[in-house]
Amino acid sequence: RFWMGMAQRPEKTAFQRRALITKQYPSVAILGCSDSRVPTEIIFDQGLGDMFVIRVAGNCLRLQQDPSADVVDTGSIDTTTSASLQYAVKHLKVKLVVIMGHEGCG
């Protein structure tokens, strides 16, 4: 709908927005790029509280490697991004996790 110029993003009433202060119920978690030209909620035509969006430059879980090491330590990942995804799944009970990429980043 966004691409076709027919967005129907549901705008919340003041009462509905107030309810989001204490609890959120997103159905999906999206790991996406930090690029300000790719606003995930608008692209998917979603409103406040509908999606749990994690924005990271490069939109991926990055391995943290010791520059002096000869091999990549696969047991050491980006804990901030990983923790955000775990929070979405375990605490918010999202049923779907999407890793979203795009072209022309930068």
Side-chain angles (χ1 to χ4, degrees):
R1 295 182 302 220
F2 169 77
W3 185 255
M4 298 174 63
M6 302 174 72
Q8 300 173 357
R9 187 173 60 250
E11 299 300 329
K12 305 281 186 192
T13 66
F15 180 76
Q16 290 170 317
R17 288 191 309 269
R18 182 175 293 273
L20 290 172
I21 292 172
T22 59
K23 188 71 175 162
Q24 57 179 318
Y25 300 98
S27 58
V28 62
I30 297 187
L31 173 58
C33 184
S34 297
D35 192 322
S36 63
R37 301 166 297 174
V38 187
T40 308
E41 294 86 351
I42 294 173
I43 289 172
F44 284 100
D45 199 19
Q46 297 296 301
L48 295 172
D50 293 336
M51 302 170 71
F52 187 78
V53 180
I54 304 149
R55 297 179 72 155
V56 179
N59 67 319
C60 60
L61 290 170
R62 297 198 184 272
L63 296 174
Q64 295 176 341
Q65 181 179 2
D66 180 352
S68 64
D70 292 332
V71 295
V72 175
D73 176 12
T74 57
S76 177
I77 62 170
D78 176 3
T79 54
T80 305
T81 305
S82 178
S84 295
L85 286 169
Q86 288 177 17
Y87 175 81
V89 172
K90 292 182 180 181
H91 182 71
L92 299 177
K93 309 290 188 217
V94 299
K95 302 293 185 208
L96 178 65
V97 175
V98 175
I99 310 299
M100 184 177 79
H102 69 101
E103 296 177 343
C105 191

